Amino acid sequence: MTSCSKTITDTPPQKCLDALLALYLETTGSSATDIVGITGSASQRHYYHISGSIPLVGTIGNEIIENEAFFHIGKVLADNNVNVPRLVAVSDDRSVYLQEDLGNITLYDLISGNGFTPDVIELCRRAIDQLVRLQLAGVRHIDTSFCHPVPAMSGESIMWDLNYFKYCFLKNQISDIDEPRLEHEFRHLTRFVEESTPRLFIHRDFQSRNIIIHSDDAWIIDFQGGRLGPALYDIVSFLWQARTNFPDNVRNQLLRYYIKCLSSHIRFPSDNLDSQLDHIIIFRMLQVLGAYGFRGLVQRKQHFITFIPQALKCLLERLENCGNELPYLSHVIGTLSHSAKHITSISASSKPALTVTVYSFSYKKGIPSDDSGNGGGFVFDCRAIHNPGRYDRYRQLTGDDIPVIEFLEHDGEITHFLNHCIALVDTSVRCYISRGFTSLSIAFGCTGGQHRSVYAATHMAAHISHRYGIHVRLIHREQDIIKEFNP
C-alpha cells in the first residue's frame, strides 16, 4: 500500500489520492470509475465520493490520533445501533479510510430549501432520537482515552474556547478590552458549564450540516471530536445554530422533545436543565463567534461574516436573561450588536495585508536576516532529523524531490517536528492578522540548507497560504529560489 503524507496541508498530495484509490481497489476488487471531492469541511480532512462497483466515501486524514478517535467512536456507536456511517476499510498507515456512502443531502439542505415543514420537523425529531442514543451509548461504552484532543470538556478546554472567542473575534473589533474583568467573567462561566449535569458523551458539533438524511432517517457524521460533557451542549448546538435560525416555537417544541427522550432513559430533574440552559447557550455562542471571527474576520470569508449579527443577537438575549451575572460581557456584546452592520460590511482591504516570508537555509552560512526591518520571527533547527544528505543517492536532490520526501516521511520524524512548528506559527499568524501586522519571518535551518530545511519550509509555506489565504514568500536561500504564494 502506498503511504500517505501525514503533514498538515490544505491540499493533499497526489500520492494520498493514489493511496485512497489503491485502498478502494484492494477493498472492492475493482478500480474506481470516478472520484469527486466533497466540499464544505472546515477541517484538515479531505472527503471524496468514490464511484465504482460499490459507492463509498473516502477520507484522507492528516492527524492519525484524530483518525483513531474516529475509528473507535464510530465502531462503538454503530455497534450500539446509532445511525453513523460504517467504516469499510483503513490503510495500513491509518491515514486513509473508506466509509459507506450515505449520499449528499443534509438536514441543513432541507431546512434551507423547504423551511420548517411538518416533514422537516419530523426529521429533526429523528436527529434528536439519534443524538440521545449517541450520548448514552458513548458514556456507557466509549473508551475516552481515544478521544482527541481531550477526553472531557474540562475547565481548561472551556477556557481554550473562550480565549478563541477573545482573540479571533473580540479583539478584531475592540482594542481596549478590560482583560481582568473579562477573565473574571470567563472563569465564572467556565465553572458553571463544567459543573452542569447530567454529563454524557457529547458530539461537540451537533448541527444540521453534520446530519445526513438517508433512507428517510437521520444519520450523524463528524463525531471524531466527541468527549464527555454537559448533555445540553449538543442540543443547544443544534437548536441555536445561527445559520438555521429555528423559530422560537419550533425550537421550544424540539427542546422539550429532547428532554422527554433523555428522561425516558436516565433520571434527572428536568428543571435542572432549564436552569443551565442560558449559560450553555452563552458558552456555545461565544465559541461559534470565535469560529466566525477566525473564518470571517481573520481569513476574510464573507460567508461566515453574514451569520455574525444573528449570533450576536442570540447571545445578547441570553446574557440579558442572566441579569447582572456577566455585566462586562453584556456591555461588550451590546456594543458590538449595535455595530453589527459594520461588521458584515468588512472588506478584505480593511486591514493591512500580512506577508509571511519562509526561509530554508544552511547554518554554515548563518541565519537569514529579516528584510522587513522588524526583526524577530521564528527560527527552527531541523538538524536533529535524520539527514538524507548522508547518502549518495540523495546528495544531488533537495527536500522538494519525491525520493527525499519519501525518505523524510518514512519514520514520521519530520512530520512530528513540523506539526509542532505549525501549531506555534498558527498562533502568531492569527494574532498578526487580527492586529494588522504586515510581516512575519519563519526560517528552517539544517546543515546544508538542501534537504530537511527545504522540505519543512515548503510545507510550512503551503500550509499558511492555503489555511489563511494570505501572501507568502518562500525563499530557499542556498538554492537561490524564490516562490510566491498569492491569495
Side-chain angles (χ1 to χ4, degrees):
M1 182 66 61
T2 304
S3 175
C4 170
S5 166
K6 304 177 191 67
T7 301
I8 299 176
T9 60
D10 283 358
T11 302
Q14 182 60 44
K15 68 175 183 176
C16 289
L17 291 172
D18 292 341
L20 191 58
L21 293 173
L23 182 63
Y24 182 89
L25 173 61
E26 179 184 299
T27 303
T28 66
S30 60
S31 297
T33 58
D34 195 16
I35 179 169
V36 179
I38 301 174
T39 60
S41 172
S43 73
Q44 295 294 328
R45 295 176 301 281
H46 302 272
Y47 299 95
Y48 301 88
H49 285 296
I50 305 178
S51 302
S53 58
I54 303 174
L56 296 172
V57 168
T59 305
I60 297 171
N62 297 307
E63 291 194 42
I64 303 305
I65 296 176
E66 185 179 66
N67 293 351
E68 295 295 351
F70 178 82
F71 302 152
H72 174 70
I73 294 171
K75 183 178 188 307
V76 169
L77 296 179
D79 289 347
N80 285 275
N81 300 314
V82 181
N83 285 353
V84 295
R86 291 188 176 269
L87 191 65
V88 176
V90 181
S91 66
D92 293 339
D93 68 358
R94 317 293 279 179
S95 65
V96 300
Y97 51 95
L98 299 170
Q99 309 168 63
E100 63 178 322
D101 192 338
L102 302 176
N104 286 321
I105 301 174
T106 68
L107 183 57
Y108 176 75
D109 296 329
L110 295 181
I111 292 172
S112 299
N114 304 321
F116 292 94
T117 65
D119 288 344
V120 169
I121 293 173
E122 175 58 29
L123 288 172
C124 291
R125 291 194 189 94
R126 294 187 184 185
I128 291 172
D129 291 338
Q130 295 303 317
L131 171 62
V132 171
R133 289 186 185 182
L134 176 148
Q135 291 186 328
L136 295 173
V139 76
R140 291 166 181 165
H141 303 291
I142 285 173
D143 179 354
T144 56
S145 68
F146 282 93
C147 294
H148 176 73
V150 291
M153 185 180 284
S154 63
E156 183 181 34
S157 68
I158 293 167
M159 283 299 295
W160 291 344
D161 286 329
L162 294 176
N163 283 323
Y164 186 51
F165 158 77
K166 179 171 73 173
Y167 289 111
C168 289
F169 181 79
L170 192 56
K171 286 199 168 186
N172 267 288
Q173 307 302 314
I174 301 176
S175 57
D176 56 341
I177 297 171
D178 188 332
E179 297 267 7
R181 289 183 68 187
L182 187 65
E183 181 81 7
H184 174 74
E185 294 188 8
F186 275 180
R187 294 200 176 280
H188 175 79
L189 181 60
T190 294
R191 286 193 297 272
F192 201 100
V193 173
E194 187 178 20
E195 294 169 3
S196 296
T197 57
R199 283 177 69 83
L200 301 175
F201 186 83
I202 60 173
H203 181 287
R204 197 175 174 273
D205 194 22
F206 188 76
Q207 42 107 345
S208 59
R209 292 174 68 91
N210 286 334
I211 300 165
I212 298 289
I213 303 304
H214 173 72
S215 299
D216 295 324
D217 207 347
W219 295 69
I220 301 174
I221 61 172
D222 277 3
F223 42 77
Q224 60 281 335
R227 64 197 63 172
L228 297 179
L232 269 184
Y233 183 86
D234 279 338
I235 194 65
V236 163
S237 300
F238 180 50
L239 296 179
W240 275 267
Q241 183 187 5
R243 65 180 66 190
T244 49
N245 198 20
F246 278 84
D248 287 343
N249 62 324
V250 175
R251 180 186 289 138
N252 292 334
Q253 173 190 341
L254 292 174
L255 177 63
R256 295 301 149 200
Y257 181 76
Y258 167 76
I259 294 173
K260 177 182 177 182
C261 290
L262 191 60
S263 62
S264 68
H265 294 280
I266 59 174
R267 295 175 61 85
F268 61 89
S270 59
D271 58 348
N272 190 41
L273 294 186
D274 288 331
S275 67
Q276 298 171 16
L277 187 63
D278 285 329
H279 294 83
I280 300 292
I281 294 173
I282 289 169
F283 171 57
R284 176 61 180 178
M285 287 298 104
L286 292 172
Q287 183 191 52
V288 165
L289 282 168
Y292 288 170
F294 176 67
R295 301 286 281 173
L297 304 176
V298 175
Q299 293 187 327
R300 297 173 188 174
K301 296 184 178 181
Q302 189 66 34
H303 172 69
F304 292 92
I305 294 175
T306 58
F307 298 114
I308 289 175
Q310 178 64 26
L312 284 172
K313 179 176 180 291
C314 175
L315 177 57
L316 185 59
E317 289 172 353
R318 292 296 158 172
L319 285 166
E320 289 172 349
N321 284 353
C322 291
N324 201 37
E325 192 174 340
L326 300 166
Y328 183 66
L329 189 58
S330 298
H331 166 72
V332 169
I333 297 303
T335 301
L336 290 176
S337 295
H338 292 306
S339 62
K341 290 184 179 179
H342 166 70
I343 294 173
T344 58
S345 65
I346 290 174
S347 67
S349 61
S350 60
K351 289 183 179 178
L354 173 65
T355 294
V356 177
T357 304
V358 185
Y359 298 90
S360 67
F361 70 95
S362 165
Y363 271 102
K364 294 178 180 179
K365 299 181 181 179
I367 297 172
S369 60
D370 180 9
D371 295 335
S372 72
N374 295 319
F378 293 94
V379 179
F380 296 107
D381 187 346
C382 303
R383 288 176 294 182
I385 296 162
H386 193 186
N387 185 9
R390 294 180 179 177
Y391 305 94
D392 289 342
R393 61 185 179 276
Y394 301 122
R395 284 180 182 165
Q396 302 305 313
L397 303 176
T398 75
D400 283 339
D401 291 312
I402 290 176
V404 175
I405 292 171
E406 291 178 344
F407 174 93
L408 288 170
E409 292 179 351
H410 176 70
D411 59 7
E413 205 172 41
I414 191 81
T415 299
H416 186 67
F417 168 80
L418 187 55
N419 284 345
H420 281 294
C421 297
I422 285 172
L424 288 170
V425 168
D426 275 352
T427 301
S428 287
V429 172
R430 289 194 293 266
C431 180
Y432 276 36
I433 292 172
S434 68
R435 295 183 180 180
F437 294 175
T438 58
S439 64
L440 174 64
S441 171
I442 304 164
F444 291 91
C446 64
T447 305
Q450 181 178 340
H451 299 104
R452 295 163 291 180
S453 62
V454 167
Y455 173 99
T458 296
H459 281 70
M460 178 64 79
H463 165 78
I464 294 171
S465 174
H466 287 126
R467 182 163 191 177
Y468 298 101
I470 59 177
H471 180 217
V472 180
R473 297 177 72 225
L474 174 62
I475 301 175
H476 296 310
R477 190 183 69 180
E478 316 313 344
Q479 285 73 46
D480 196 25
I481 293 173
I482 300 177
K483 297 181 180 179
E484 303 280 345
F485 295 75
N486 291 307

